[in-house]
Amino acid sequence: MTVSRFSRRALLGTAGLSLSLLPLLASDREARGAVETPKRLVLIAWPNGVRSADWWPDAKVGSIDYEAATNSGVTATNFSFNGLRMIEPLEPYRQDIVLFQGVSLANHVEGGHESQPEMFKVTGNSTLDQHVAKDQTTPFKTLNLSVQKHDDRGHIFNNGQRVTLEQDPYALFERLFQGGALDQAAFERKRATKKSVLDYVGRQLEGFGQILGAQDRQRVDYHLTSIRELEKRLDASKSNTGRPDSLPEARFDVKDVSSFNKTVRAQLDLMVLALASDATRVATLLLADGDGSNLAMPWLGPDFALNTGDVYLGIQNSHHTHAHREDKMHAEMQRWFVSEFAEFFRKLKATDDAGGGTLFDNSVTLVMNNMNTGGGHGTNNLPIFYAGNAGGYLTTGRYLKLHESQNGILAALASAMGTPVSGMNELASLRA
């Protein structure tokens, strides 16, 4: 016998196995890269700009609008977030991130508060999430989430039609369970069935290998190794698909400004669960209104409670107020948002992907603010970064200074997800 005489079909036939089990032995194609692990895309938007000296690694100390420091020593690969108050929580993930400086909104709008509908738009008057998800066969093509959004200044679109945003994590959790995406019992039954079939095929191959010569045993051993790797992945897929701690049985008021932090954390945690269970591979999260005028952060301390302190633009102590002032409280508020993004990345990294690696390994998250600075409202030099390399497609660990619109970034992410955008050129510098 020679190895060439044994196709996978002949091997199964000789072993007396059903051809219905043939797809299970596609694991060798997966090991060779012929079968790709699913990729995930997440889009997040938040409002009211940054202070440049607290955000960009080479910004001049004290600068509000971006001004490069002289002799900073910062390069595309030599940079740090340490000491930058707003973005510092991302320092542990610096090598997983590409931070952009100089990126501007492609389409003209009145100002930053009005920019959100254009931030993620690609072609056919659809946003990137809707474009990527159009042919998805997951239970939910996309998760379209927001937190305490009351205005019309930020939405996502599918062929020009506004997509409904789910603002209640409790309602989202119920929808996921009703759809079976997070049914722990069903999940375990499917996993156990797949593993028992793999065990059976493995035992049959082990027995069959005893009667073969050395060369053919090597081929059988290869199949056995592939099967054991699949079993390990199934074991790794036993991620928690139950209620997250951030969504307690005793419901909190998701519309109350003092619960904004709880709602954000719950929405992010549910995104992780939905991605891990393959309920969806695409999600968006829009945080607060386009101006954040109703947003306060009392969990940061009594000084951050709504309707306290001085009045500015007719509003007391809101996110919008401190963004206009570009003061230390604005810095702390934006730092809190970034801390939540960092926690999201930590959980993606901590969640094993049934296809191999972690969720973070096989995903990319694009995060964008709707304006440059809180007082300037400009849509030039937007705070924007992505985290994750989409299964090795994208570069990370870079600080890129560009004079481009966001379109090249959106196109690169679309291509990374296997859904290129016709008529949009991706930034070649983002390819790994």
Side-chain angles (χ1 to χ4, degrees):
M1 293 184 197
T2 63
V3 173
S4 61
R5 290 177 55 194
F6 279 86
S7 67
R8 187 182 299 107
R9 185 178 297 271
L11 184 65
L12 283 171
T14 305
L17 301 181
S18 167
L19 290 178
S20 65
L21 300 182
L22 192 63
L24 288 169
L25 292 186
S27 54
D28 64 332
R29 296 201 315 272
E30 182 174 347
R32 296 172 185 268
V35 179
E36 294 185 359
T37 299
K39 298 178 182 180
R40 283 80 166 188
L41 172 70
V42 177
L43 305 179
I44 300 176
W46 96 106
N48 287 337
V50 299
R51 183 183 179 95
S52 292
D54 290 327
W55 187 262
W56 281 286
D58 65 338
K60 184 178 180 180
V61 174
S63 61
I64 297 175
D65 289 314
Y66 178 78
E67 182 180 353
T70 57
N71 302 318
S72 67
V74 171
T75 68
T77 57
N78 180 35
F79 63 97
S80 173
F81 300 144
N82 285 325
L84 304 177
R85 191 63 188 163
M86 291 181 177
I87 199 173
E88 190 172 41
L90 295 183
E91 175 62 21
Y93 307 100
R94 176 167 43 85
Q95 293 304 315
D96 301 311
I97 285 173
V98 171
L99 174 68
F100 298 94
Q101 191 274 316
V103 174
S104 300
L105 193 71
N107 298 325
H108 176 75
V109 294
E110 182 179 343
H113 294 315
E114 288 71 36
S115 69
Q116 271 194 6
E118 302 295 330
M119 285 163 53
F120 301 127
K121 198 168 287 185
V122 285
T123 187
N125 210 17
S126 293
T127 43
L128 177 63
D129 57 314
Q130 302 299 305
H131 167 78
V132 167
K134 63 182 184 297
D135 295 323
Q136 294 283 355
T137 58
T138 51
F140 297 85
K141 285 193 172 186
T142 63
L143 291 187
N144 314 120
L145 313 181
S146 62
V147 179
Q148 295 187 17
K149 176 166 283 300
H150 311 290
D151 64 1
D152 293 327
R153 287 168 156 176
H155 281 273
I156 52 179
F157 294 89
N158 186 5
N159 294 322
Q161 299 298 309
R162 181 186 296 177
V163 175
T164 301
L165 302 174
E166 179 58 76
Q167 303 207 47
D168 185 348
Y170 285 97
L172 173 62
F173 184 71
E174 290 168 2
R175 283 177 56 212
L176 290 170
F177 260 110
Q178 288 170 359
L182 297 182
D183 186 335
Q184 181 70 41
F187 182 83
E188 286 298 328
R189 284 195 300 272
K190 290 178 182 177
R191 193 190 69 82
T193 299
K194 290 179 180 178
K195 189 170 183 182
S196 66
V197 171
L198 287 174
D199 285 340
Y200 174 71
V201 174
R203 289 194 302 270
Q204 293 294 315
L205 283 173
E206 285 175 349
F208 185 64
Q210 300 299 316
I211 64 174
L212 298 179
Q215 283 185 312
D216 293 319
R217 277 203 304 271
Q218 288 179 0
R219 183 170 178 84
V220 171
D221 286 343
Y222 175 75
H223 284 291
L224 284 170
T225 299
S226 298
I227 287 173
R228 298 314 175 206
E229 287 176 353
L230 281 178
E231 288 178 327
K232 290 178 181 178
R233 292 180 187 181
L234 285 172
D235 285 336
S237 72
K238 292 190 294 184
S239 56
N240 175 24
T241 54
R243 180 187 294 273
D245 292 339
S246 57
L247 201 67
E249 293 281 355
R251 297 195 176 207
F252 56 83
D253 185 354
V254 301
K255 297 180 180 180
D256 187 337
V257 66
S258 64
S259 297
F260 185 88
N261 59 326
K262 298 177 183 178
T263 309
V264 169
R265 178 64 62 86
Q267 295 282 55
L268 289 170
D269 285 351
L270 287 173
M271 285 166 64
V272 173
L273 290 180
L275 295 171
S277 65
D278 212 30
T280 191
R281 296 174 185 172
V282 184
T284 55
L285 179 61
L286 307 183
L287 297 172
D289 290 343
D291 61 12
S293 59
N294 293 316
L295 175 60
M297 297 187 176
W299 57 90
L300 295 180
D303 292 340
F304 291 84
L306 191 64
N307 297 324
T308 61
D310 297 331
V311 175
Y312 187 77
L313 297 177
I315 305 168
Q316 286 185 308
N317 215 37
S318 72
H319 192 265
H320 188 203
T321 297
H322 292 290
H324 269 272
R325 291 179 173 175
E326 292 161 335
D327 56 15
K328 290 183 178 179
M329 290 179 70
H330 179 226
E332 294 307 308
M333 289 175 157
Q334 298 299 60
R335 181 185 176 90
W336 175 82
F337 274 112
V338 176
S339 296
E340 292 300 301
F341 306 152
E343 176 64 6
F344 177 63
F345 301 150
R346 186 192 69 79
K347 288 177 179 175
L348 289 178
K349 279 177 170 281
T351 304
D352 290 321
D353 193 344
T358 69
L359 282 182
F360 189 88
D361 295 330
N362 301 318
S363 71
V364 58
T365 300
L366 179 66
V367 183
M368 191 184 309
N369 200 285
N370 65 353
M371 65 181 69
N372 180 351
T373 66
H377 296 71
T379 57
N380 61 309
N381 196 22
L382 292 171
I384 175 173
F385 67 91
Y386 69 72
N389 60 33
Y393 185 96
L394 299 165
T395 62
T396 58
R398 303 290 179 89
Y399 171 43
L400 298 182
K401 303 179 72 172
L402 307 173
H403 295 285
E404 306 273 354
S405 75
Q406 89 280 20
N407 282 349
I409 301 170
L410 299 179
L413 269 59
S415 294
M417 293 294 294
T419 54
V421 181
S422 177
M424 286 179 67
N425 296 321
E426 63 179 289
L427 283 174
S429 58
L430 303 187
R431 290 288 296 269

